[in-house]
């Protein structure tokens, strides 16, 4: 009764957000969204005519969440909406952090203090790269906080599209509801029943994900899984090290997920040139990178960022040999870009 399946985690997230909408057009519901953010959240907020409440993650502290920043965002938003939920992506997309348990506890305490639903997007939970890191779910930390938090609602999301499976096209995901009021769960059941059911292929994929093979296939499954994750970890370390060797590029350690989100120093002339063309400076950087090298990355402005900072998102998924070539081309391009606009 606490789990429902969707056609990807995205559909589950949208259905949970729909629960927070109001019938009064004069009272907007608000969703606290981490910046940088996965664009699904800003798109859904716009679709539902809700208020997006931006809270900034702390890049200088490996993209953790500062409780004071949460309070600032919440208090500033109260005059224009009714904050309903806080969304957290862990491990992070696009930022690649793995939030430690004590920071998760801070977020849960904040949500409990302000009567907010917690939406924990945990679709990258099997992608953990730090030597001393392990994934700790919001539910586990919530249970450790004791009976005072038994009424704090938590929606946790997982998907077959991420992790080591990466079966994006099969469209399978699920949501686990913790501490949801029974009447709310009844309303949610009515809501998702309007879509009849999730895709059959997605349901099969979820079954394969949550129930590891047994018998003769078990050992092969363990070997292949370990091989995929070990290779990704090796690439995450290499990408982090090589990016930080490039003058003017700084990247936090890749603790999880599939991405690096380095900060780029863009010269003043490049900023002015981008503005004259009506584009964001990091969009200009990524566009010229594509034009000069054939390499495509995503500008940080597409995920939003602290004003005055510039980033791009890249993935660690290509084979190691291709990543090495990419990083060599990136380093050469970056030097030439700075000289061109220096």
């Amino acid at each position: 009764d606490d789990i429902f399946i969707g056609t990807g985690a995205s559909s589950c997230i949208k259905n949970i957000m729909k629960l927070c909408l109001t019938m009064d057009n004069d009272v907007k519901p608000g969703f606290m969204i981490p910046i940088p953010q996965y664009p699904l959240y800003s798109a859904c907020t716009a679709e539902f005519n809700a208020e997006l409440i931006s809270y900034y993650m702390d890049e200088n502290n490996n993209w953790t969440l500062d409780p004071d920043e949460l309070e600032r965002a919440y208090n500033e938003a109260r005059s224009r909406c009714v904050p309903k939920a806080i969304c957290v992506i862990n491990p992070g997309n696009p930022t690649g952090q793995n939030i430690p348990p004590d920071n998760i506890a801070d977020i849960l305490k904040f949500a409990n203090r302000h009567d907010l639903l917690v939406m924990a997007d945990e679709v990258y939970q099997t992608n953990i790269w730090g030597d001393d890191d392990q994934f700790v779910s919001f539910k586990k930390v919530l249970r450790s906080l004791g009976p005072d938090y038994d009424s704090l609602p938590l929606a946790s999301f997982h998907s077959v599209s991420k992790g080591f499976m990466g079966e994006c096209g099969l469209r399978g995901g699920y949501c686990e509801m913790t501490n949801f009021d029974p009447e709310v769960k009844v309303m949610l059941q009515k809501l998702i029943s309007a879509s009849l059911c999730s895709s059959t292929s997605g349901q099969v994929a979820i079954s394969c994900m949550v129930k590891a093979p047994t018998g003769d296939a078990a050992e092969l499954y363990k070997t292949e899984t370990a091989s995929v994750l070990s290779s990704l970890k090796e690439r995450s370390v290499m990408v982090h090290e090589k990016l930080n060797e490039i003058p003017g590029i700084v990247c936090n350690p890749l603790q999880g997920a599939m991405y690096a989100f380095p900060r780029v120093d863009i010269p003043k002339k490049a900023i002015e040139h981008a503005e004259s063309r009506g584009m964001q400076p990091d969009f200009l950087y990524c566009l010229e990178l594509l034009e000069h090298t054939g390499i495509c990355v995503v500008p940080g402005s597409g995920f939003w960022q602290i004003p005055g900072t510039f980033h791009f998102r890249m993935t660690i998924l290509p084979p190691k040999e291709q990543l090495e070539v990419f990083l060599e081309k990136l380093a050469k391009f970056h030097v030439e870009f700075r000289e061109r606009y220096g």
Side-chain angles (χ1 to χ4, degrees), residues 76-334:
E76 288 184 3
R78 291 178 64 188
S79 62
R80 62 181 190 271
C81 69
V82 178
K84 292 284 190 175
I86 178 169
C87 308
V88 186
I89 307 172
N90 186 49
N93 176 12
T95 44
Q97 85 284 1
N98 179 30
I99 303 176
D102 57 344
N103 199 203
I104 292 176
D106 289 337
I107 298 165
L108 292 170
K109 292 173 183 177
F110 165 81
N112 194 53
R113 192 159 57 246
H114 295 295
D115 196 24
L116 299 174
L117 164 67
V118 179
M119 299 176 61
D121 184 337
E122 299 174 332
V123 299
Y124 290 102
Q125 59 187 258
T126 58
N127 300 68
I128 301 297
W129 315 129
D131 290 333
D132 300 321
D133 289 340
Q134 62 177 354
F135 171 76
V136 178
S137 70
F138 269 70
K139 181 180 178 181
K140 182 174 183 178
V141 177
L142 176 61
R143 290 295 190 228
S144 73
L145 293 177
D148 289 344
Y149 292 81
D150 285 348
S151 60
L152 175 62
L154 166 68
S156 305
F157 306 95
H158 198 16
S159 169
V160 302
S161 298
K162 315 301 180 184
F164 62 88
M165 294 180 65
E167 296 289 356
C168 304
L170 295 181
R171 307 309 304 147
Y174 67 84
C175 171
E176 180 180 14
M177 300 170 286
T178 303
N179 297 337
F180 269 54
D181 185 282
E183 293 186 14
V184 174
K185 290 164 68 174
V186 169
M187 292 298 105
L188 178 62
Q189 185 63 44
K190 291 181 180 180
L191 175 65
I192 60 179
S193 294
S195 300
L196 300 183
C197 69
S198 59
S199 65
T200 302
S201 58
Q203 293 184 50
V204 173
I206 291 171
S207 178
C208 293
M209 178 177 71
V210 300
K211 293 190 292 188
T214 58
D216 295 340
E219 194 60 36
L220 178 60
Y221 174 80
K222 290 179 182 178
T223 301
E224 291 184 348
T225 300
S227 175
V228 171
L229 293 176
S230 174
S231 176
L232 286 168
K233 179 177 179 178
E234 181 182 5
R235 282 174 267 173
S236 74
V237 173
M238 180 187 73
V239 166
H240 170 247
E241 291 177 349
K242 293 295 185 182
L243 286 174
N244 283 297
E245 290 176 1
I246 303 174
I249 293 182
V250 179
C251 184
N252 280 325
L254 280 62
Q255 297 178 318
M258 300 175 179
Y259 313 104
F261 196 66
R263 186 171 71 246
V264 184
D265 179 22
I266 296 182
K268 182 179 179 181
K269 287 185 178 179
I271 296 173
E272 293 172 347
H273 180 61
E275 291 174 347
S276 71
R277 297 180 60 183
M279 62 177 64
Q280 293 292 328
D282 52 12
F283 184 91
L284 172 70
Y285 182 92
C286 295
L287 180 62
E288 292 201 6
L289 176 64
L290 178 63
E291 292 173 340
H292 286 79
T293 69
I295 294 170
C296 182
V297 296
V298 185
S301 51
F303 303 94
W304 303 7
Q305 54 199 345
I306 291 179
T309 66
F310 309 107
H311 302 77
F312 65 82
R313 189 189 76 168
M314 60 167 288
T315 179
I316 62 171
L317 291 177
K320 182 180 178 182
E321 296 75 18
Q322 292 183 16
L323 275 176
E324 289 173 340
V325 173
F326 161 80
L327 291 165
E328 289 175 3
K329 288 186 175 182
L330 172 65
K332 183 174 183 292
F333 164 80
H334 184 74

Side-chain angles (χ1 to χ4, degrees), residues 15-22 29-31 82 84-85 117 119:
N15 281 328
I16 291 296
M17 292 180 76
K18 287 178 183 177
L19 288 178
C20 300
L21 303 183
T22 63
F31 295 94
V82 178
K84 292 284 190 175
L117 164 67
M119 299 176 61

